Amino acid sequence: MRETLEKIRKEAMEALASPSAELEELRIRYLGKKGELTAVLRGMGKLSAEERPVIGQMANEVRAEIEKKIDELASAAKGKAMEAKLAAEKLDVTVPGEPIRAGHFHPLALVQRQLEDIFLGMGYSIVDGPEVEYDYYNFQALNIPPDHPARDTQDTFYITDNILLRSQTSPVQARVMEKTQPPIKIISPGRVYRSDAVDATHSPLFHQLEGLVIDRGITMGDLKGALDMFAKRMFGEKTEIRFRPHHFPFTEPSAEVDVSCFVCGGKGCRLCKGEGWIEILGAGMVHPNVLRNCGIDPEVYSGFAFGLGIERIALLKYHIDDMRLLYENDIRFLNQF
Ligand code: DAH
């Protein structure tokens, strides 16, 4: 039996020296209920009274030795596993962080802010007005009575018979004049609506910027001076402006205003379609009826007004050939600004 125990010890120690099987398997093989050592202990009954304690002690020693070795290996393996886990989860707090990508302004917002900056620099204040507007302010106060043909070009969305989505920023003029006696010097940027089908140059929602200056002795010369300065600041110092006669119900006289092409300088190119000039806004001297409608005496005061489309300026400035790109919010497009 001694030899058997010796053999078990030797085998077990060899197996545990470089364990190829799982530790638990080895534990069962050597120490388990059906294990080799247990078999030896079971046979102890056959031993003589002198031999029994000697073999018993030896068997216990072998068991203890094997147990100790297995425990050592198990705790070493546990330590290794923990080390590996720590290595895998290592967090280097000194690594620089991922930069947070800041957003940026939409091209329309960029142009609107540039326009606002220019006019603020010229002493204008910015005024807001409602997008859901009374027919009165959008049309009647501006000298466009019901059934006036000028309404045809500004068909819009009606909430009721006399409440609509404003088709222009001009109603803000009337609201300001009603509340304020001159001097008045304001711009009013914002959304406007028309029942137009969407195409490369039309959208049922777009943006305008309105300007209004009222005081004693304001003349068309002041209008020209203001727009000339605006054009130079917006499109470059060499820019010239040109007035063409036009009709707006709320101004008299009225004009459409062109700027010399800021790409070719007036020679004619693709942008200005060979004209050398680009139409940029509508303007004129505020009609006496409009002043009167809003409680301002046209015998004492006069003034000019102008209105421009922000989309139009953005398309020209950034050489965009389809207005729909401004509303689709395709990130590949927007990232270019
Ligand atoms: N409201 C006009 C439009 O939508 C633009 C305009 C033209 C505004 C002349 C004005 C102006 O104030 O004087 O077509």
Side-chain angles (χ1 to χ4, degrees):
M1 248 182 198
R2 260 174 223 280
E3 295 84 70
T4 316
L5 283 172
E6 255 327 307
K7 199 173 144 243
I8 292 172
R9 187 224 303 271
K10 204 166 157 251
E11 264 184 33
M13 284 307 150
E14 267 166 22
L16 289 169
S18 53
S20 54
E22 292 282 326
L23 276 180
E24 195 48 33
E25 243 170 63
L26 294 174
R27 186 195 297 276
I28 292 166
R29 171 155 5 128
Y30 295 110
L31 307 174
K33 273 191 197 143
K34 292 181 184 153
E36 295 174 20
L37 199 58
T38 314
V40 173
L41 291 170
R42 284 218 180 98
M44 294 248 296
K46 290 182 202 136
L47 292 176
S48 69
E50 299 91 65
E51 267 187 316
R52 208 175 291 154
V54 180
I55 297 295
Q57 198 191 340
M58 192 179 168
N60 280 336
E61 278 167 19
V62 170
R63 161 178 284 275
E65 203 177 322
I66 295 172
E67 259 173 2
K68 191 169 158 232
K69 185 73 186 166
I70 287 177
D71 285 348
E72 273 170 23
L73 287 172
S75 78
K78 220 173 157 187
K80 255 199 200 134
M82 177 59 89
E83 256 170 45
K85 196 172 173 217
L86 285 176
E89 288 176 359
K90 193 159 81 181
L91 183 71
D92 182 353
V93 294
T94 67
V95 170
E98 293 257 331
I100 295 169
R101 286 217 289 151
H104 58 84
F105 286 109
H106 187 280
L108 281 176
L110 286 174
V111 170
Q112 182 175 325
R113 290 166 78 92
Q114 193 187 354
L115 293 167
E116 288 173 359
D117 275 353
I118 291 172
F119 285 109
L120 284 172
M122 291 165 68
Y124 289 71
S125 350
I126 302 175
V127 182
D128 241 350
E131 289 169 32
V132 180
E133 185 54 284
Y134 288 107
D135 180 287
Y136 175 76
Y137 289 110
N138 196 76
F139 292 127
Q140 293 168 54
L142 298 170
N143 207 26
I144 311 173
D147 303 322
H148 191 287
R151 290 191 179 218
D152 287 355
T153 59
Q154 299 209 9
D155 191 18
T156 180
F157 304 94
Y158 284 80
I159 314 286
T160 67
D161 278 350
N162 59 12
I163 298 176
L164 44 77
L165 297 187
R166 68 179 182 185
S167 62
Q168 48 186 350
T169 42
S170 306
V172 182
Q173 287 187 23
R175 286 178 171 273
V176 169
M177 284 191 274
E178 242 183 20
K179 282 213 201 74
T180 331
Q181 280 298 303
I184 292 169
K185 194 171 180 185
I186 58 123
I187 55 163
S188 182
R191 293 193 193 102
V192 299
Y193 303 83
R194 290 188 196 176
S195 65
D196 286 337
V198 174
D199 65 22
T201 53
H202 292 85
S203 161
L205 181 161
F206 59 104
H207 299 73
Q208 285 187 337
L209 183 141
E210 190 80 13
L212 177 72
V213 173
I214 311 275
D215 205 347
R216 286 172 201 266
I218 298 287
T219 68
M220 198 119 180
D222 296 305
L223 171 60
K224 280 195 150 182
L227 292 182
D228 188 57
M229 179 170 280
F230 157 69
K232 287 182 164 50
R233 299 224 165 131
M234 188 71 204
F235 300 107
E237 278 310 307
K238 294 211 173 85
T239 309
E240 307 273 350
I241 56 168
R242 172 175 90 170
F243 278 49
R244 282 179 291 105
H246 197 72
H247 170 262
F248 296 107
F250 32 85
T251 44
E252 180 58 38
S254 303
E256 274 187 335
V257 180
D258 303 337
V259 293
S260 55
C261 179
F262 45 87
V263 167
C264 64
K267 286 192 214 75
C269 68
R270 217 167 66 96
L271 186 75
C272 60
K273 300 195 177 81
E275 292 284 321
W277 295 94
I278 298 173
E279 186 202 323
I280 218 80
L281 52 78
M285 300 307 292
V286 179
H287 197 292
N289 285 352
V290 175
L291 293 174
R292 251 190 303 274
N293 288 344
C294 302
I296 289 177
D297 185 351
E299 299 301 325
V300 180
Y301 295 108
S302 57
F304 63 77
F306 55 88
L308 56 82
I310 296 179
E311 274 78 355
R312 181 159 169 75
I313 307 250
L315 297 184
L316 288 168
K317 181 177 159 135
Y318 296 119
H319 303 274
I320 301 165
D321 58 9
D322 193 326
M323 191 168 165
R324 285 168 287 201
L325 288 165
L326 293 173
Y327 309 116
E328 283 164 358
N329 284 337
D330 184 330
I331 206 77
R332 292 167 302 182
F333 171 75
L334 296 178
N335 275 341
Q336 297 174 56
F337 299 92

